[in-house]
Amino acid sequence: NIFHRCSVWQETVMQGRLEDRSVSWLLNTSLDFFQNPLVLLTMDFTVAASAADDPRIIRDTLFHSFPAAGNHLENFRRSDLYSPVEEQKQVFYLPPEVGGCASLCANVRQYKKTTHSLLLLEHSHPLRRSEGFLLAFLASLLEHALQHRIPPKDSSSQALNAVLTRALNDKTADYLSVSRRLSELGWQTEHDYCCV
């Protein structure tokens, strides 16, 4: 059963990569397999993509709140792990006092430089040492996806800007059309947003 489950997951994510599926798709497809949340962080600790049964898990478990996030990141920067972590080529373990919760981490590199870290967060199930190899495999697929992504002709930020500008400035704007367009860009009513 274990080998069959691994084989099915491996074939699914490899086929997804061949079909040029997104980083988010790879993480979401792997969520059931790992049974713990997955987070792709940039090297400045920004969440680039994540997959969890409940999106609040990432916010509440990994970062708790902004002050706690600052404490965790400062602890990490002061720890002996920080300097070698960027060059780490093997999967490594981050204890809860460093990252906010226990996690297995695999670096994702582009052009021989670490640009992201893939984290498997200990949440629903205890982390297992055997998951390191599988996490490294997923990280290699994410690395491939990031290196081969083709930027869209109109970036989503430009498209979002156009939709929001129209909604705010055009008194004749069709709000059903605006709502549909926002949904196409990934905005959903149950998401939390910060307006600046």
Side-chain angles (χ1 to χ4, degrees):
N1 283 343
I2 292 170
F3 287 114
H4 175 70
R5 191 166 167 265
C6 288
S7 177
V8 167
W9 170 72
Q10 179 188 22
E11 287 176 25
T12 302
V13 292
M14 287 180 68
Q15 185 60 39
R17 197 50 233 127
L18 290 171
E19 294 170 359
D20 202 26
R21 298 288 189 139
S22 70
V23 166
S24 293
W25 184 90
L26 291 168
L27 293 180
N28 284 312
T29 301
S30 301
L31 181 61
D32 284 339
F33 178 73
F34 284 103
Q35 298 181 344
N36 271 321
L38 291 156
V39 181
L40 184 66
L41 288 180
T42 62
M43 292 312 286
D44 66 352
F45 304 104
T46 303
V47 176
S50 63
D53 291 330
D54 180 352
R56 291 174 295 186
I57 291 170
I58 305 299
R59 182 189 65 212
D60 297 343
T61 304
L62 186 60
F63 296 118
H64 299 288
S65 66
F66 188 76
N71 291 338
H72 290 309
L73 298 180
E74 192 55 37
N75 287 342
F76 183 46
R77 285 190 185 105
R78 280 191 260 127
S79 76
D80 295 337
L81 291 171
Y82 185 71
S83 53
V85 79
E86 192 173 355
E87 297 306 316
Q88 183 67 259
K89 292 185 178 161
Q90 304 295 323
V91 172
F92 55 97
Y93 174 79
L94 276 180
E97 60 272 12
V98 173
C101 69
S103 57
L104 285 178
C105 307
N107 283 337
V108 176
R109 300 169 69 81
Q110 293 183 70
Y111 309 107
K112 300 182 181 179
K113 181 174 170 41
T114 300
T115 57
H116 297 78
S117 287
L118 173 62
L119 279 66
L120 176 63
L121 306 179
E122 186 173 68
H123 185 268
S124 305
H125 301 281
L127 294 174
R128 295 182 297 270
R129 185 177 292 213
S130 60
E131 291 174 313
F133 172 77
L134 300 168
L135 192 68
F137 173 73
L138 179 58
S140 70
L141 291 178
L142 294 174
E143 190 172 291
H144 186 269
L146 290 169
Q147 286 180 347
H148 292 87
R149 67 180 167 190
I150 299 167
K153 290 178 186 173
D154 295 321
S155 75
S156 61
S157 62
Q158 289 173 332
L160 180 59
N161 183 45
V163 172
L164 291 176
T165 301
R166 180 161 184 233
L168 294 172
N169 295 331
D170 185 354
K171 293 182 179 181
T172 63
D174 175 10
Y175 289 106
L176 289 175
S177 172
V178 168
S179 178
R180 181 181 48 75
R181 186 71 182 114
L182 287 173
S183 294
E184 289 170 5
L185 291 168
W187 281 45
Q188 297 176 13
T189 55
E190 63 270 12
H191 288 166
D192 294 330
Y193 295 101
C194 174
C195 253
V196 180

